[in-house]
Amino acid sequence: MRTPRNRVLAVGAAATLALALAACGSGEDSAAPAEDPDEIVLSLVPSGDVDSITESAKGLESFLSDKIGIPVRAEVTESYAAAIVAMKSDQAQVAMLGPIGMVQAEDQAGAVPVLQSVRYGSGTYHTQWFTNDPDTYCTDEVKVVEGFKYCNGTDAAKTGPAGEEAIAKIKPGTSIAFVDQGSASGYYYPATQWSQVTGGDALVDLDAQFAGDHDAAILAVARGDYPIGVSYDDAREEVAADEPKVASDVVVFAYSTEIPNDGIVVAGNLSKELRTKVTDAFTAMAKDPKGLKTLEAVYEIEGLEKVDTAALKKAKSVEENFGE
């Protein structure tokens, strides 16, 4: 059964200008550790409906406050960039971010990655490329699996990459519905993949349009606004009920390489004791039936595990391709 791989959320290059400016003077923050706050602010970034994640976040506040022993307040930021800036300016002490966001929070805000999400037994996911023009981008027959359309072997592939011969057909100047300039699966990884496959410069050669979230990118292609879009796999399930064209007109034709799942970072200026309490609270939440339901409601998280530092290093290498 094909199911959504990730909701998330990846802070990334989109914020390069804002974060580069915010980074000036960051070296002065590494002196004595600050006194622990009386309240913890948890920064969240919506991958779809803002009202839905805001409501689900109430469960996070309640469970974490009880386990940590001080109030936890969740704040939904307006952008990926804002989440990192909030951590850098001590307006947030914890954030749930995508892999690019985790490494940037570490570099720019001195945050410490502590946990990583698990979905469907895996710590990775991939971008799906989709189109409303299968005649151009499908090299074989379109197949329908559980109501959704695939080609180029993506119906059978469990991991990426896949369909890269079709990615090579995307010509410079093509308008593409990316998600957000800070999203791993919605920008960083697919843009990097196109550059590697074609030898071009995605930052210069493609007509990048940013839909704002994964749902919006799918709807933009379904409604014919752009010929190609990207999202996590398979975000179509989130919007198909509201827009029938998603099932009839949106065909997945390629996958990116595997991407480490989103995770949790904690402010580096918190005491070691409080960082441990935060980490233990999230770990306990993932093992508690009621707590796990809350994590599923917020970001479709099915488990949490110790952060994969090697995988994040690979994500960092992707992030570095985008420069300053």
Side-chain angles (χ1 to χ4, degrees):
M1 178 178 181
R2 302 196 63 85
T3 42
R5 297 283 296 182
N6 191 13
R7 288 297 294 170
V8 169
L9 341 132
V11 173
T16 37
L17 178 57
L19 296 179
L21 292 172
C24 295
S26 61
E28 299 176 359
D29 298 333
S30 59
E35 183 178 348
D36 284 338
D38 295 326
E39 176 189 60
I40 288 177
V41 176
L42 168 63
S43 186
L44 305 172
V45 182
S47 57
D49 182 67
V50 175
D51 292 337
S52 177
I53 193 172
T54 301
E55 181 64 28
S56 299
K58 294 178 182 178
L60 289 175
E61 294 174 332
S62 176
F63 191 100
L64 295 172
S65 296
D66 181 63
K67 291 293 183 182
I68 298 171
I70 61 175
V72 174
R73 175 167 53 88
E75 287 194 351
V76 180
T77 61
E78 64 180 12
S79 69
Y80 296 133
I84 287 185
V85 172
M87 291 205 76
K88 181 170 179 59
S89 60
D90 292 328
Q91 296 177 42
Q93 291 73 43
V94 183
M96 301 177 74
L97 305 171
I100 298 297
M102 293 175 75
V103 299
Q104 287 200 330
E106 185 177 23
D107 290 345
Q108 301 287 347
V112 180
V114 293
L115 294 169
Q116 209 158 343
S117 302
V118 175
R119 295 179 182 84
Y120 309 103
S122 176
T124 67
Y125 70 114
H126 47 259
T127 299
Q128 64 177 17
W129 292 79
F130 47 85
T131 184
N132 52 32
D133 183 13
D135 289 343
T136 298
Y137 299 104
C138 290
T139 61
D140 59 6
E141 182 180 352
V142 173
K143 297 181 179 179
V144 179
V145 179
E146 297 185 5
F148 293 106
K149 294 182 175 180
Y150 303 84
C151 66
N152 304 334
T154 55
D155 60 301
K158 301 300 182 184
T159 60
E164 289 192 320
E165 69 280 3
I167 292 175
K169 295 183 177 183
I170 302 173
K171 298 179 180 179
T174 300
S175 296
I176 298 179
F178 289 106
V179 173
D180 183 284
Q181 288 173 300
S183 172
S185 61
Y187 184 51
Y188 267 76
Y189 276 75
T192 297
Q193 185 180 27
W194 183 84
S195 295
Q196 291 173 339
V197 168
T198 66
D201 184 346
L203 303 182
V204 175
D205 298 335
L206 293 176
D207 179 19
Q209 302 295 321
F210 297 98
D213 60 51
H214 296 266
D215 294 358
I218 292 169
L219 292 172
V221 173
R223 295 167 181 169
D225 297 333
Y226 305 103
I228 296 171
V230 298
S231 73
Y232 66 84
D233 172 31
D234 191 330
R236 290 177 297 179
E237 295 183 1
E238 301 299 312
V239 292
D242 296 326
E243 177 51 80
K245 287 184 177 181
V246 170
S248 62
D249 296 357
V250 178
V251 183
V252 169
F253 67 89
Y255 293 147
S256 73
T257 56
E258 290 299 290
I259 307 168
N261 281 347
D262 54 292
I264 298 163
V265 297
V266 181
N269 61 0
L270 297 184
S271 67
K272 183 177 180 180
E273 179 184 6
L274 185 52
R275 290 202 306 268
T276 299
K277 284 184 178 181
V278 171
T279 304
D280 290 348
F282 272 104
T283 301
M285 192 172 196
K287 295 179 179 178
D288 179 89
K290 186 175 181 180
L292 187 56
K293 284 185 178 179
T294 298
L295 290 171
E296 289 176 341
V298 174
Y299 285 140
E300 298 179 4
I301 294 171
E302 294 187 353
L304 290 169
E305 62 186 12
K306 185 178 178 181
V307 68
D308 186 340
T309 55
L312 286 184
K313 284 183 179 179
K314 292 182 180 179
K316 183 175 177 61
S317 70
V318 172
E319 184 263 347
E320 289 173 342
N321 291 333
F322 286 70
E324 294 298 330

